[in-house]
Amino acid sequence: QHLILKSFNYLDDASRQNAFRCMRWPLDNYLRRKEIMKQNMERAREQKKKMEEEEKKKKQEGDEESSEETKKEGEEGEGEKSTEEKKEEEVKDTQEVAAPAGETDGVEKRSQGPTRTMEEATKPKEPLMNNLKKLTFSINEAWGDDEEEEEEDEEGEEKKTAHEEIKDDKASEEGGTNGSDAKEKDIEKTDGGEDTVSVDEKKAKADDDAASEEKKEEGETKEDDAIKDEDILPPLFAREDPDTLLDRLNTRRLYLRIFHYKRKQREKLTAASGKTIKEMFDYESIKEMFDLDVREKMTANRVYRKNVTIQEMADLEWDELLEIAEIRNSGEVVPFEPIPTQHELLLFSPCPRAVAILASYPRSGNSLMRTMYEHTTLRVTGSDMQGGLAKHDLVGEMAVGANMVQFVKTHFPERQGGAPFQASRVVLLVRNPFDAMESFFNLMMTGTHTKTITPEVREKTKKQFEEYVLKEIRVWKRFHNFWMSQDIPLLLIRYEDLIREPDKVMARVLQFVLEIQRMGTFFSERIDRCIKEQQEIERMGSYKPRSGGIGKSLAKYSPELLKTLKADENLKVIMAHLGYKDLLSKPVEEWSNLEPLRGHATEFLPTWHMTEHKKVVIVNKGGLARTRDEVTMWGKIKAEMGIIDEDCNCANCQALRAKQAAEKAEKEEGKEGEGQEAKIDGDEVPKEENAGDK
């Protein structure tokens, strides 16, 4: 089915639908996915248009600001020029009026009035109309009152002509089109008196034609931009159910096992090539040589079994592990080499009762616990949510039924998982709230389990981090209060004990989940081989965790925030109940020396443990510990801070990536330009110095 659907991805829409009809597959899901994909594409296109419009507006605002600045600079320059011209005219007037006596000899004096003094010459000039008034007044005084009316009439005519000239000048300056339009109107009139179409009407028609053309172009662009149903081709793939994911994981492990065995064989051959014949056959007896040959053949037969499925191979290997335990208990030597633990095959296993659950607040070590359980028992652990951990070899996502798994991870009631299911007992994995909340903040900001936010982002989000902590501490308290109040068997373990003494904690977990009354040698050897022999605890995890430690995240909390948290009496009570009684009173340096719980775990029995009446808990049913008041808008915070998810391909993240790349390129170009200028300056300065020395 996977290959068939993969081949259908190369077909067009009509061929796909015909193929579905031939295969008698329903088209409802395919058509629904097409509609969803179309809506997402339209949203992405709208977001892209909005971002382009915003960029255009910003550019226009920048152009307007630059034009205003240039206008201001021009006005200032004109003002400076006008003041300089005025000064030059005043200097000329003063030179004409206050000339030396020797230069004025022999020149006729003016009879209109006395010569102007220096003070009069330096006074600002009066307006034109005032000069005209003074002129007429002086004429009337000279010629008498008889001709006063005639002079007034002439003065009025001069005023009118002056006003008309000023109006004509203003009209010509405001726009030369009015005069030309009037001329065109006059020209358009024929000799017979018939009026043609005016220029205004022509312009209106031209505007209407342009508007209609723009509308047509917009309609054409809309038709071009419209997403056609034929072009929408959602990818086809089979649903990745837990069985399929497990087959893929076991196939990959089987390949690595064969590769490991072949490499060891090559190493033996290279080592034997340097030995002599005597050294190659240097055995104490023929029996020893025969036993060694049989051991190698039996090991080779168990590395890859022929004519069986992977599921059957996993069942056979589990049976062989039980046989090996019996052989060792009898004191005999195992006749073959065991398969490395990292290459062993996993399998699903039904549970005779309701499943046990691994309940934990996010970032408290549930993935590490699941991996240890799977390595030891070779049984897949389930999960009530699709958290993306399948790529980290945790393939039991959305497997919660007792017909498949025994141990199921959940974050309820911190969040709602999948469908409700029953649980008969719970392993409550806790971590001190300071490390857990900081790690959860890191997860949500980076979108991955392995990456750490940069110091720049940490500095930007100081305020958001404090707001998040004050809300999230309420969720942390409600979550643990919920599970501590359930009337089912409960095993309390701490993350701090798990990473320091994993073998002892894992023994308690296996005994509790599998209801083993007495731990035998089988699981003890499995724990020693799968967990205790590992050099680093990080190798046991499904992925490499961030560089952290017990209490190291406390440096991310401000002193005021720590003071507020330490003053919370309810928090102190809950932490004491979970085994962190004196943690807040100790310095951070001593947190790594925290004493483990007694027996490395604390078991709480229900009220009915002495009776036959057993109770269960319904997981993913009921209210949540996180209300609307404690919801953090991670997408909004990332958008405001300009933080991008590297794995996200939405329109916003793609636009932000392009914007950041452009800004980075501009900065690099600016740095290169500065470097070139510095080089030029550095080359010029020594030349000047050398010239001066010369």
Side-chain angles (χ1 to χ4, degrees), residues 451-466:
K451 295 181 181 178
T452 306
I453 58 177
T454 60
E456 292 81 8
V457 176
R458 176 75 66 181
E459 186 67 25
K460 285 182 182 179
T461 56
K462 271 187 177 180
K463 183 180 178 182
Q464 288 79 2
F465 177 71
E466 291 186 359

Side-chain angles (χ1 to χ4, degrees), residues 456-587:
E456 292 81 8
V457 176
R458 176 75 66 181
E459 186 67 25
K460 285 182 182 179
T461 56
K462 271 187 177 180
K463 183 180 178 182
Q464 288 79 2
F465 177 71
E466 291 186 359
E467 293 175 354
Y468 151 80
V469 168
L470 294 176
K471 293 187 296 185
E472 201 66 22
I473 193 63
R474 298 196 293 267
V475 181
W476 189 89
K477 290 188 291 185
R478 291 178 196 146
F479 175 85
H480 293 92
N481 278 333
F482 173 83
W483 286 113
M484 293 299 292
S485 61
Q486 298 303 312
D487 194 18
I488 58 173
L490 184 142
L491 183 70
L492 174 67
I493 58 175
R494 296 186 310 189
Y495 173 79
E496 291 79 8
D497 299 335
L498 179 65
I499 61 175
R500 291 181 299 173
E501 298 181 287
D503 54 330
K504 295 178 181 178
V505 174
M506 201 64 221
R508 290 297 305 271
V509 171
L510 290 176
Q511 190 174 2
F512 178 79
V513 172
L514 301 177
E515 297 186 63
I516 301 172
Q517 298 296 329
R518 181 177 173 274
M519 288 290 289
T521 57
F522 176 74
F523 281 111
S524 299
E525 290 176 356
R526 288 292 302 172
I527 291 171
D528 291 340
R529 185 164 174 241
C530 301
I531 298 175
K532 194 174 179 180
E533 291 178 0
Q534 297 292 334
Q535 295 178 359
E536 297 178 1
I537 189 64
E538 286 82 2
R539 295 183 181 180
M540 287 299 302
S542 301
Y543 50 84
K544 186 177 180 180
R546 301 185 183 97
S547 58
I550 302 172
K552 287 188 177 180
S553 64
L554 217 63
K556 312 295 191 304
Y557 293 77
S558 64
E560 295 79 10
L561 184 59
L562 283 175
K563 186 177 180 182
T564 303
L565 294 174
K566 289 180 180 179
D568 190 345
E569 296 297 331
N570 189 18
L571 178 62
K572 290 180 181 179
V573 173
I574 296 173
M575 290 183 67
H577 202 49
L578 298 177
Y580 300 104
K581 183 178 180 181
D582 300 328
L583 190 66
L584 295 176
S585 60
K586 293 180 179 180

Side-chain angles (χ1 to χ4, degrees), residues 368-387:
L368 178 61
M369 170 59 72
R370 289 177 64 189
T371 308
M372 289 183 178
Y373 186 90
E374 291 184 355
H375 274 269
T376 308
T377 63
L378 297 182
R379 298 297 187 275
V380 177
T381 57
S383 175
D384 65 345
M385 58 184 296
Q386 193 80 30

Side-chain angles (χ1 to χ4, degrees), residues 542-663:
S542 301
Y543 50 84
K544 186 177 180 180
R546 301 185 183 97
S547 58
I550 302 172
K552 287 188 177 180
S553 64
L554 217 63
K556 312 295 191 304
Y557 293 77
S558 64
E560 295 79 10
L561 184 59
L562 283 175
K563 186 177 180 182
T564 303
L565 294 174
K566 289 180 180 179
D568 190 345
E569 296 297 331
N570 189 18
L571 178 62
K572 290 180 181 179
V573 173
I574 296 173
M575 290 183 67
H577 202 49
L578 298 177
Y580 300 104
K581 183 178 180 181
D582 300 328
L583 190 66
L584 295 176
S585 60
K586 293 180 179 180
V588 184
E589 294 78 12
E590 297 181 7
W591 282 26
S592 58
N593 299 325
L594 184 67
E595 292 185 4
L597 294 174
R598 186 177 180 181
H600 299 85
T602 304
E603 186 174 355
F604 295 88
L605 298 175
T607 57
W608 46 265
H609 73 283
M610 298 296 292
T611 63
E612 295 181 357
H613 180 68
K614 296 183 179 181
K615 296 181 180 180
V616 294
V617 173
I618 307 298
V619 185
N620 293 327
K621 185 178 181 181
L624 298 177
R626 188 186 302 280
T627 63
R628 291 183 179 179
D629 297 333
E630 286 86 30
V631 174
T632 302
M633 307 301 291
W634 300 105
K636 186 178 179 182
I637 292 173
K638 292 180 183 179
E640 290 175 354
M641 298 296 160
I643 301 168
I644 308 168
D645 288 341
E646 295 181 0
D647 298 331
C648 183
N649 292 320
C650 69
N652 289 332
C653 289
Q654 288 178 357
L656 285 171
R657 284 196 203 100
K659 187 177 179 182
Q660 287 186 359
E663 291 176 354

